[in-house]
Amino acid sequence: MTFKKLLLSLIKGGLMICGVIYLVLLVTSTLTSSQTSAGEVEYQFAKIRRGTLETLVSSTGTLAAVETVEVGTQVSGTISRILADYNDHVTKGQVLAVLDQSLWNAQVKEAEANVNKARAVLVQAEDEFNRNQPLFEKGFLSAQEFLPVRIGVDTAKAALAAAEASLARARTNLDYTVIRSPIDGTVIKRNVEAGQTVAASLNTPTLFLIARNLKQMQIEADVDESDIGQIRNGQEVRFTVQSYNDQIFHGTVSQIRLQPRTVSNVVNYTVLVQAENADDLLLPGMTATLDFVVSKTEDALLASNAALRFQPSGDQGEELPSSAKRSGNAENSGTLYVLKKDGQGVQAIQVAKGESDGISTVVSGSGVSEGLQVISGVKPEVAGKQTNFFSFLRPPRRSSGGRP
């Protein structure tokens, strides 16, 4: 009996000790869990920085020479010689090509012969007039008889004038067989070869395309109707071309054309941009990607849009005073959140918002300064909650208002 009582006493004592240990560990685990729950939120931060913010409108366009002249032909014929080629620098009056002149030389000779014939007829008519005029004055010829003689002189004069006009036209056409440059510039296109026949008609064929000055280029950009209201003459433009991705070129808006163009049910307007080409890097036909500088704010405090969108959840946030909520325009005001000095919870700062480029926004306010750390989000959980052996001994937590 004594041994059994001793054994039972030892067992009871051991169970009591185990129970006390369990309760101590349970309380400790619960307190640790509460502290972890209170501090398990980790925030992402962004600094308020000082800099320049630009609002841009993006578009694409095609480079072209500022002034180009299409050189055609005013007479038909066969090209006998080509005296200018691609990229040649030509001067005004320089010969570019020559047509076969044999037919036009023959027409000039024929017109000269007609002039000589008309001149001979006129001499004959004037001689007859000079012989019959004294007879008419003395009354030997009637007015009716003298009239054909006088009309013959006028008719011969008219015929001579017509022949001389035909000769001038034939000589002009002969001059047209020599194609000359109308301006000083650069040949950027040639559409003919020696031996090719060209026909002058209502639509004059283009033989050469000459650009006056490739040091000045223009871009024909398509701007969407939703953005055209932000474009104005003289506006600064930055653009790049695919050939020089690492180089930024500059230009200015010179013209906004009012005639719209509809492409795939989208209304676009053509905007001309003037650009310098001092280094001859820009070539006609290149595709340019443009940024129109709508507004530019320098030396401003900039906050990330993510920080302005952040809203704390639960009891982590601090409500703004009602007076602060009522003041200002809702669209032009925002709220930034920072950690409190003791690190427990967050504090709200009301700011005034300015221009935005979609990433950052100009902000101002009494509590905003350069370098201020503001909350921009919550860090995602990298791993699950840590567990230990005693966590399995803890009873499951009940959600408020629900069943276990």
Side-chain angles (χ1 to χ4, degrees):
M1 292 295 294
T2 304
F3 176 75
K4 291 182 179 180
K5 288 181 180 181
L6 180 62
L7 181 61
L8 289 173
S9 298
L10 291 174
I11 292 174
K12 289 180 180 180
L15 291 175
M16 290 177 64
I17 294 173
C18 290
V20 171
I21 295 174
Y22 173 75
L23 290 174
V24 172
L25 293 175
L26 181 61
V27 172
T28 304
S29 177
T30 302
L31 292 175
T32 305
S33 176
S34 299
Q35 294 176 357
T36 304
S37 298
E40 63 183 357
V41 177
E42 295 186 17
Y43 296 107
Q44 294 177 332
F45 294 92
K47 282 186 179 181
I48 301 293
R49 62 183 180 88
R50 186 177 296 276
T52 300
L53 184 135
E54 294 179 334
T55 304
L56 306 175
V57 170
S58 298
S59 177
T60 58
T62 304
L63 281 158
V66 173
E67 182 180 354
T68 57
V69 177
E70 295 180 351
V71 181
T73 177
Q74 293 180 273
V75 295
S76 302
T78 302
I79 301 292
S80 61
R81 288 182 295 164
I82 296 290
L83 302 177
D85 203 353
Y86 287 95
N87 304 332
D88 284 353
H89 296 281
V90 296
T91 58
K92 184 177 181 179
Q94 181 177 336
V95 177
L96 305 178
V98 179
L99 299 180
D100 183 9
Q101 297 179 332
S102 57
L103 177 62
W104 304 104
N105 282 324
Q107 289 186 359
V108 169
K109 291 180 180 180
E110 182 182 1
E112 290 174 346
N114 290 334
V115 168
N116 293 332
K117 179 180 178 181
R119 188 175 288 116
V121 172
L122 176 59
V123 170
Q124 181 181 6
E126 289 177 343
D127 182 67
E128 186 175 355
F129 177 82
N130 292 331
R131 284 188 294 104
N132 288 284
Q133 185 177 14
L135 298 175
F136 171 71
E137 292 175 349
K138 293 179 180 180
F140 295 107
L141 290 177
S142 65
Q144 184 177 3
E145 292 173 330
F146 185 68
L147 180 62
V149 176
R150 187 170 58 189
I151 292 177
V153 175
D154 294 337
T155 302
K157 289 181 179 180
L160 177 60
E164 289 176 344
S166 297
L167 176 60
R169 182 171 61 250
R171 287 173 175 171
T172 300
N173 288 336
L174 179 60
D175 290 338
Y176 285 157
T177 60
V178 180
I179 311 299
R180 301 178 184 273
S181 174
I183 61 172
D184 295 340
T186 304
V187 178
I188 61 176
K189 189 175 182 180
R190 176 171 64 84
N191 294 328
V192 290
E193 298 289 346
Q196 182 176 340
T197 300
V198 292
S201 59
L202 294 178
N203 295 323
T204 303
T206 300
L207 308 184
F208 299 90
L209 184 63
I210 300 178
R212 182 181 293 276
N213 184 12
L214 291 179
K215 298 293 183 181
Q216 291 284 339
M217 302 292 288
Q218 72 178 12
I219 306 172
E220 297 183 2
D222 291 331
V223 179
D224 189 87
E225 61 176 329
S226 61
D227 297 324
I228 193 64
Q230 303 181 72
I231 308 301
R232 61 188 182 278
N233 286 333
Q235 191 170 19
E236 179 186 352
V237 180
R238 296 194 301 266
F239 66 94
T240 58
V241 294
Q242 294 181 358
S243 298
Y244 311 100
N245 287 324
D246 56 342
Q247 187 167 352
I248 297 177
F249 301 90
H250 299 271
T252 55
V253 175
S254 61
Q255 185 183 65
I256 302 173
R257 293 181 178 173
L258 303 180
Q259 178 63 33
R261 296 191 309 111
T262 303
V263 180
S264 300
N265 295 326
V266 177
V267 178
N268 294 319
Y269 291 86
T270 300
V271 177
L272 297 185
V273 176
Q274 301 286 342
E276 296 285 342
N277 188 28
D279 297 330
D280 295 327
L281 299 179
L282 303 176
L283 302 178
M286 283 184 171
T287 300
T289 302
L290 305 95
D291 287 327
F292 296 87
V293 181
V294 177
S295 63
K296 188 174 184 180
T297 306
E298 297 181 346
D299 195 28
L301 293 176
L302 305 178
S304 68
N305 288 359
L308 289 168
R309 290 192 300 265
F310 173 75
Q311 290 292 333
S313 59
D315 57 354
Q316 299 168 355
E318 179 183 280
E319 289 290 333
L320 288 172
S322 58
S323 59
K325 293 181 179 179
R326 289 193 299 268
S327 63
N329 188 342
E331 294 183 357
N332 296 329
S333 63
T335 306
L336 295 173
Y337 292 91
V338 297
L339 283 180
K340 293 181 178 179
K341 293 182 178 180
D342 58 4
Q344 300 297 322
V346 299
Q347 180 181 354
I349 300 176
Q350 189 181 35
V351 295
K353 297 191 299 183
E355 297 289 340
S356 176
D357 61 359
I359 300 176
S360 301
T361 300
V362 176
V363 294
S364 60
S366 58
V368 182
S369 61
E370 183 179 359
L372 178 65
Q373 292 273 10
V374 294
I375 300 174
S376 60
V378 177
K379 290 184 179 180
E381 293 184 358
V382 180
K385 295 181 179 180
Q386 295 182 353
T387 60
N388 52 44
F389 172 77
F390 299 103
S391 64
F392 295 102
L393 302 178
R394 195 167 58 238
R397 299 176 63 184
R398 297 190 180 185
S399 57
S400 58
R403 304 182 65 183

